[in-house]
Amino acid sequence: MRTRKSLMAVAAAAVGLALAACAPTGAGATGGSDSSGESTAPIDVGIVYSESGPLAAYGAAYKDGFEAGIDHATGGTGEVDGRALNVTFHDDAGDPEKAVSQAKDLIGKGYQILAGTVVSGVALPLAEQAEQNKVLYISGPAAVDTLTGINRYTFRSGRQSLQDVATAGTFVEPDGAKVVVFAQDNAFGQGNLAAVEGVLGGQGADVTSVLVPEDATEFTPFAKKVLDADADMVFVAWAGATTGAMWQGLDQQGVLDRTTVVTGLGDVATYGAYGDAAEKVSFLNHYFPGAAGTETETAMLDAVEAAGGTPDLFTPDGFVAAQMIVHAVQEGAGDVEAMVDALEGYSFEGPKGQTTVRAADHALIQPMYQARLVKEGDTWTPELVEVVDGEAIAPAEATE
């Protein structure tokens, strides 16, 4: 087990910004060998993800991306070196106990590769299963920071919360800046406050907060507190039914006109939640369709759309997972230790651009984005403001 530097320990409380059942098929299918003696047996890959539950939309985007990624990485064959990838999908419904039960069942059937997790609370116990049973595990959109460096067998195909917060810091010069965290007074809000204190505070920012009771429906007094703070940047971490009213309150009190207000841009379904305030908000972003402009992204978008899907926030996480799995199988099929070795330090062209698995702790170094929302008729559409270099916002490295 690895521990983190003090900054990482503080920030690990953040579980993400603003920011998932198919019956399993039997594993262990027998196969022969080719003329050189190499095995031709299928490689079993178990995807445990949220097909249903509160984050089902994230799961759908992940699955669409994964299927497109397998097709892309195998040249449309679904095979690696003559061995078919037997991919099965399993709905955890966002329930950690169900996910662990499914993982144990798959491992018992001989699966050596698991992937797919959307929910942070699911990812952590699956990482424990990976270490206990020495199987390769690649988490998906789950952003919990403590997954990075947790053990030798666990990787991730998406970003983590610390990369979100570091991206927020690119909207101002953190050293000496006054940063106010405006959030709900619950574990989600407090976790984001801890992350901002750890990351931006560690870069010299003066971080304070205005935390709002979860049951609040009137936001004027809290917006006034933010205004009185005369901040260089206001970092907003909010979720739930009061989102629209909260943004209206900040806008009516002039907060959005007086300072830089930053929050995370979520999936397509959230684009309309900001109302007229949208054009005054600066968005950090993990991904939106068209953000990268790479050939690999175009291949991903074309494949997902051709299959009837809609590219979204976490489509790249599935695509990258597929790329990682194909590479691992190419280098070490049938040997988990060899597959792990193959992924450590692996650098490749993902849909977002150059993507690297940091060898020391398996953090996934990748570009992030600054974005804005613009109105087109009755809908809001994201536009790219700037690509943020992955190395510039990489999380602090975990240590032994």
Side-chain angles (χ1 to χ4, degrees):
M1 182 71 66
R2 294 174 176 173
T3 59
R4 353 187 61 67
K5 295 181 180 179
S6 58
L7 182 150
M8 292 288 283
V10 172
V15 295
L17 295 172
L19 268 291
C22 296
T25 60
T30 59
S33 58
D34 60 20
S35 59
S36 66
E38 295 293 328
S39 174
T40 58
I43 301 291
D44 296 313
V45 179
I47 307 299
V48 181
Y49 80 120
S50 291
E51 181 182 5
S52 63
L55 298 183
Y58 293 172
Y62 173 91
K63 184 183 180 185
D64 287 346
F66 183 85
E67 292 176 332
I70 289 292
D71 188 69
H72 177 80
T74 65
T77 67
E79 298 181 352
V80 178
D81 295 334
R83 301 181 69 177
L85 296 178
N86 174 41
V87 180
T88 60
F89 294 89
H90 311 270
D91 180 20
D92 62 27
D95 181 348
E97 291 186 5
K98 186 175 182 180
V100 169
S101 177
Q102 290 170 336
K104 288 181 176 179
D105 181 61
L106 293 170
I107 293 168
K109 292 177 177 178
Y111 281 70
Q112 294 182 320
I113 304 172
L114 302 179
T117 324
V118 171
V119 183
S120 291
V122 170
L124 293 172
L126 289 192
E128 293 177 2
Q129 290 299 313
E131 183 175 38
Q132 291 171 11
N133 295 281
K134 293 182 171 50
V135 297
L136 174 62
Y137 169 51
I138 303 174
S139 179
V144 60
D145 291 307
T146 46
L147 201 68
T148 295
I150 195 169
N151 60 57
R152 168 171 166 78
Y153 301 94
T154 297
F155 295 79
R156 67 192 324 144
S157 64
R159 97 295 184 218
Q160 62 188 85
S161 295
L162 287 170
Q163 289 163 303
D164 288 335
V165 174
T167 303
T170 64
F171 287 91
V172 295
E173 174 54 54
D175 191 12
K178 294 175 65 176
V179 177
V180 173
V181 176
F182 186 66
Q184 292 150 307
D185 193 5
N186 55 18
F188 172 75
Q190 293 162 5
N192 276 276
L193 172 58
V196 175
E197 289 175 333
V199 177
L200 303 188
Q203 296 174 4
D206 176 15
V207 180
T208 59
S209 65
V210 175
L211 298 181
V212 181
E214 275 191 284
D215 58 357
T217 57
E218 171 54 52
F219 300 102
T220 299
F222 304 104
K224 287 182 176 178
K225 287 183 179 180
V226 175
L227 196 63
D228 292 342
D230 193 27
D232 297 298
M233 184 179 83
V234 177
F235 179 88
V236 178
W238 207 276
T242 59
T243 298
M246 178 275 296
W247 285 111
Q248 184 179 43
L250 289 181
D251 195 18
Q252 289 176 343
Q253 294 305 309
V255 174
L256 305 184
D257 296 312
R258 286 275 299 272
T259 188
T260 299
V261 178
V262 179
T263 195
L265 181 64
D267 59 339
V268 173
T270 68
Y271 293 171
Y274 307 92
D276 292 336
E279 292 179 318
K280 302 177 182 180
V281 178
S282 298
F283 294 96
L284 68 94
N285 178 246
H286 166 52
Y287 176 75
F288 66 85
T294 66
E295 291 184 6
T296 305
E297 182 198 27
T298 298
M300 178 187 75
L301 297 177
D302 289 348
V304 169
E305 290 169 354
T310 301
D312 210 334
L313 178 65
F314 294 124
T315 307
D317 297 36
F319 196 96
V320 166
Q323 290 180 292
M324 292 172 66
I325 288 170
V326 169
H327 177 73
V329 171
Q330 285 174 332
E331 299 299 319
D335 185 334
V336 172
E337 302 300 331
M339 290 193 290
V340 169
D341 289 343
L343 288 177
E344 290 187 333
Y346 177 42
S347 189
F348 58 101
E349 184 70 15
K352 293 174 64 176
Q354 194 63 33
T355 303
T356 301
V357 180
R358 192 162 62 191
D361 59 4
H362 304 175
L364 193 68
I365 311 304
Q366 61 195 286
M368 296 283 284
Y369 307 102
Q370 292 183 4
R372 65 167 68 92
L373 284 175
V374 297
K375 199 166 188 178
E376 296 182 352
D378 295 328
T379 62
W380 293 91
T381 302
E383 280 189 356
L384 179 65
V385 174
E386 185 175 334
V387 177
V388 180
D389 180 71
E391 291 291 347
I393 45 88
E397 189 174 302
T399 56
E400 294 290 348

